[in-house]
Amino acid sequence: MIPASKLFAFTKRGFLHASSYRLNFVGTYLSGVLVIIFFAVLARFYQNAQPAALAPYGDYFTFLLIGGVFARYFSVGMRHFGRELEHELAAGTIEPVMVTATSPALALLGPSLWMLIEGLVLMAIQFAIGAVVFGADFSRADWSAAIVLSLLTITALNGWGIFSAAFVLAFKRADPLSWLVDVTIYMLAGVYFPVSVLPAGLRWAAYLLPLSHSLEGLRFALMRGATLNELWPYVFILFLFNVILLPASLFAFRVALNRVKREGSLGHY
Amino acid sequence: MLSAITTLHLAHNFRTARGSVDALRDVTLTIERGEFFGLFGPNGAGKTTLIRILSTLIIPSTGSASVNGFDVVREPDRVRASIGLVFSNENSFYGRLTGRQNLEFFAALQNLSAKEARRRTAELLDFFNLTTAADKPMQSYSTGMRQKLNVTRALLHNPPLIFLDEPTKGMDVLAAESLRSLLRAELVGRQGKTVLLTTHDLQEMELLCDRVGILENGKLRAVGSPADLIREANTTVVYRLELVGHVNGLVDRFLQLSTVRSAEVVSQTEALTILDLTLTDSSAPGPEVWQTLAAQNINVKRCAPKDDGLVTLLKQNSTQ
């Protein structure tokens, strides 16, 4: 069991560090708001030319808001472990943390906690602005189904993030395939348009990604009020991704840690 | 009573792109509780590797080690909870956080409650005269202040054993002197902690340590009090013999001679055997050595005093 005091210490440390870069800190939230404005403009632009594939969901702005906001958060979830670990290695702080009475897994993954929490805060702000200022329609939303799908997605994508951390630990540089994350999220996973409009080959590829199922399920939950009972295929698929990704990534992480401890290269960068 | 540190045939081998490097070779050592023990040796001798193994940052290739009664490979969590490590790298803090914020963060990782972390941090900052700078960002600290904070961090959870990896590296003379007297008087003198210090500063070794281990090329060459080691260095002469052919059984014969303290084959091929002979006095090898060689029809290609870097260093820098 991880003590709450240590989770709090990592979160506080992350907040203090992030907020010490004031312009960057403010910029993160400002860009989060600007994205919502961009979605509103885009939705208005296509107001009279929406494809039939959007019909099952509802209005395009709410569709974009859910896709864009969740995709950003999940993208952070997929990459932050590796990135934060890389920062710690560059700063020379990983070894001092690793010799404390803290488990190696928490010592290496804890630095990312603030990023996850900040992402949640930003997501809440974006949804609030989307609903209050731009009229996103969540009147039929089933929030409990959305929360379950979100949690399953976050844990599944954190599995990818742990793979990325294992890569950084072993090879000292961020995962060279991280660009693939953005491409797959924004092109294939249905952020700007439903997966159903993709050509057949790409549609198959899209359904190999947990995010495609997640965004589709979340839109049905938040826009049409679909319940967990109705969304069980999405829950099942995301659960399967968890069962595969999490143990595999933790195994890879353990192997990488063991390797650097034998090589004596834990603190190298 | 359990020893603070025990190592048994400890060895570590680093694999590199060009092959492997023996960083530590067959190190067997015991350090008792309350002892201020120094590891002395040149750069690359294996001092830091040994400390990293003992603090669970490196898994040894072979051999075993226990710290405060816990095995470093099987019980790393318990080892870490019972040690404090002072890094030689001054950049081991979060530069944009203040000294106090850094210490409170590390205190939480050492299982101190928030209240206890605040109290202990304030107490140690005061002790190390860092209270005035405590709420300034770490990146504005001088090298001396960072090293003091480094020591402070190692003491947060009040561990019985402290590792100091070249703690005065990069510090000016006065700051280094102030830290040394504090380490000796406070850590060992008043708090009774065990300290393992690595240094290549001979004066530091003499001033601080009860006992010293001399590491060279990953091997523990000698262990003793600084005074004994320096005395020994002044009376010991090592001769290097280059003998023609592949010679067997000579070491045992040499060890039977009263004038020979130790004999070691350094390298051996079919054409040449190189052997180091440590004599009990400072004179050249006596007739009994030559008689032993002649009795076996061994031709000597070369015989000269060995330039032993460490012994020379001990002789040159001795304050006695």
Side-chain angles (χ1 to χ4, degrees):
Chain A
M1 191 68 188
I2 300 167
S5 59
K6 290 190 183 180
L7 295 177
F8 178 73
F10 273 113
T11 309
K12 183 180 170 190
R13 207 269 304 148
F15 167 74
L16 290 170
H17 190 259
S19 59
S20 74
Y21 294 93
R22 286 181 193 158
L23 191 64
N24 187 276
F25 191 67
V26 173
T28 302
Y29 291 89
L30 198 63
S31 66
V33 174
L34 287 174
V35 164
I36 305 305
I37 297 171
F38 168 72
F39 288 159
V41 172
L42 199 65
R44 184 153 298 185
F45 189 70
Y46 284 107
Q47 200 169 18
N48 299 317
Q50 288 185 8
L54 274 175
Y57 299 95
D59 73 287
Y60 189 42
F61 173 68
T62 312
F63 179 95
L64 274 178
L65 182 70
I66 294 169
V69 167
F70 274 106
R72 184 203 169 275
Y73 185 65
F74 295 148
S75 158
V76 169
M78 287 169 89
R79 288 183 294 177
H80 62 112
F81 286 131
R83 279 189 182 172
E84 289 301 304
L85 185 57
E86 204 179 351
H87 290 161
E88 296 274 334
L89 285 170
T93 45
I94 201 70
E95 288 191 328
V97 171
M98 288 287 286
V99 290
T100 62
T102 300
S103 73
L106 181 62
L108 294 167
L109 304 178
S112 314
L113 273 174
W114 166 248
M115 293 281 287
L116 283 175
I117 291 169
E118 186 187 45
L120 271 181
V121 172
L122 183 60
M123 193 159 68
I125 293 172
Q126 287 176 311
F127 272 120
I129 292 174
V132 174
V133 181
F134 297 104
D137 184 11
F138 296 117
S139 57
R140 296 166 65 191
D142 185 321
W143 291 102
S144 57
I147 287 169
V148 170
L149 286 172
S150 300
L151 287 175
L152 282 170
T153 312
I154 290 166
T155 49
L157 294 181
N158 277 345
W160 180 284
I162 294 168
F163 267 125
S164 170
F167 193 94
V168 171
L169 202 57
F171 303 107
K172 311 301 173 194
R173 282 283 171 176
D175 177 356
L177 297 176
S178 60
W179 62 270
L180 196 63
V181 173
D182 278 335
V183 173
T184 52
I185 284 178
Y186 291 98
M187 292 302 294
L188 292 181
V191 174
Y192 296 109
F193 40 79
V195 173
S196 58
V197 303
L198 289 170
L202 285 179
R203 199 157 59 232
W204 274 104
Y207 282 124
L208 291 175
L209 304 170
L211 200 61
S212 310
H213 304 277
S214 171
L215 290 184
E216 208 167 279
L218 280 165
R219 282 177 175 131
F220 284 135
L222 292 172
M223 297 175 78
R224 287 174 45 190
T227 63
L228 267 182
N229 279 343
E230 293 168 291
L231 295 172
W232 73 264
Y234 298 96
V235 173
F236 178 72
I237 288 170
L238 289 172
F239 180 75
L240 270 186
F241 275 113
N242 271 280
V243 167
I244 296 163
L245 280 174
L246 274 180
S249 64
L250 287 171
F251 175 76
F253 187 78
R254 201 172 304 128
V255 168
L257 182 61
N258 204 31
R259 173 186 152 151
V260 295
K261 285 184 92 172
R262 287 193 186 282
E263 284 177 348
S265 65
L266 179 63
H268 294 183
Y269 182 63
Chain B
M1 192 171 73
L2 274 174
S3 300
I5 295 170
T6 310
T7 71
L8 202 60
H9 305 299
L10 197 65
H12 192 69
N13 179 280
F14 288 118
R15 290 201 185 99
T16 66
R18 292 180 183 174
S20 66
V21 177
D22 290 327
L24 273 187
R25 295 186 286 168
D26 197 25
V27 173
T28 296
L29 176 68
T30 300
I31 299 173
E32 299 302 337
R33 286 176 193 255
E35 215 179 348
F36 202 124
F37 191 93
L39 279 174
F40 181 73
N43 290 333
K47 306 184 298 289
T48 299
T49 302
L50 180 54
I51 279 205
R52 281 166 179 264
I53 288 174
L54 296 174
S55 53
T56 79
L57 288 171
I58 293 179
I59 298 172
S61 304
T62 57
S64 64
S66 71
V67 170
N68 293 320
F70 306 120
D71 187 278
V72 294
V73 177
R74 290 196 304 271
E75 302 165 287
D77 297 348
R78 301 180 81 173
V79 169
R80 285 197 297 272
S82 71
I83 61 165
L85 171 58
V86 177
F87 288 84
S88 57
N89 174 15
E90 58 177 275
N91 295 320
S92 59
F93 287 95
Y94 299 97
R96 297 185 74 87
L97 269 60
T98 67
R100 192 188 304 277
Q101 287 166 343
N102 266 288
L103 290 181
E104 286 180 2
F105 168 69
F106 283 102
L109 299 192
Q110 295 288 16
N111 293 329
L112 270 68
S113 68
K115 191 178 165 190
E116 181 66 8
R118 278 194 297 274
R119 189 195 63 76
R120 184 78 177 140
T121 296
E123 180 184 292
L124 287 168
L125 284 169
D126 185 47
F127 182 80
F128 283 93
N129 291 323
L130 287 167
T131 306
T132 327
D135 297 309
K136 291 178 183 162
M138 272 291 302
Q139 56 199 7
S140 67
Y141 284 26
S142 67
T143 301
M145 288 160 79
R146 283 175 197 221
Q147 274 308 78
K148 274 186 178 179
L149 207 75
N150 215 331
V151 177
T152 309
R153 175 171 60 189
L155 296 173
L156 281 167
H157 54 304
N158 201 16
L161 171 61
I162 310 282
F163 296 125
L164 300 160
D165 191 9
E166 297 181 26
T168 55
K169 185 175 157 186
M171 290 172 84
D172 65 56
V173 178
L174 284 177
E177 188 47 46
S178 147
L179 185 62
R180 280 184 202 119
S181 52
L182 196 140
L183 293 173
R184 178 80 225 185
E186 182 60 26
L187 295 189
V188 181
R190 205 174 71 82
Q191 298 187 22
K193 293 189 186 302
T194 310
V195 176
L196 173 57
L197 165 95
T198 73
T199 182
H200 44 228
D201 181 327
L202 197 89
Q203 275 195 325
E204 192 163 275
M205 179 189 93
E206 281 187 87
L207 281 168
L208 294 175
C209 302
D210 300 317
R211 280 196 311 147
V212 175
I214 295 182
L215 266 176
E216 194 182 16
N217 295 326
K219 207 160 184 182
L220 196 59
R221 296 284 177 194
V223 177
S225 71
D228 285 347
L229 289 176
I230 288 163
R231 198 177 309 120
E232 196 173 306
N234 282 315
T235 57
T236 300
V237 174
V238 180
Y239 271 81
R240 175 154 289 186
L241 305 180
E242 293 181 14
L243 311 171
V244 177
H246 190 281
V247 178
N248 289 321
L250 194 58
V251 168
D252 291 337
R253 286 193 176 81
F254 274 147
L255 289 176
Q256 286 166 10
L257 303 177
S258 60
T259 54
V260 173
R261 181 178 294 162
S262 69
E264 183 186 5
V265 173
V266 179
S267 70
Q268 201 161 35
T269 63
E270 282 304 312
L272 190 71
T273 299
I274 299 177
L275 188 140
D276 280 350
L277 209 57
T278 307
L279 305 173
T280 50
D281 59 36
S282 55
S283 60
E288 67 282 2
V289 169
W290 302 113
Q291 282 162 10
T292 305
L293 291 165
Q296 294 199 48
N297 293 323
I298 296 169
N299 291 323
V300 178
K301 190 178 172 191
R302 190 166 175 267
C303 171
K306 184 189 165 195
D307 180 21
D308 189 322
L310 262 181
V311 171
T312 310
L313 186 75
L314 281 167
K315 284 176 182 171
Q316 286 171 351
N317 292 284
S318 166
T319 55
Q320 292 191 339

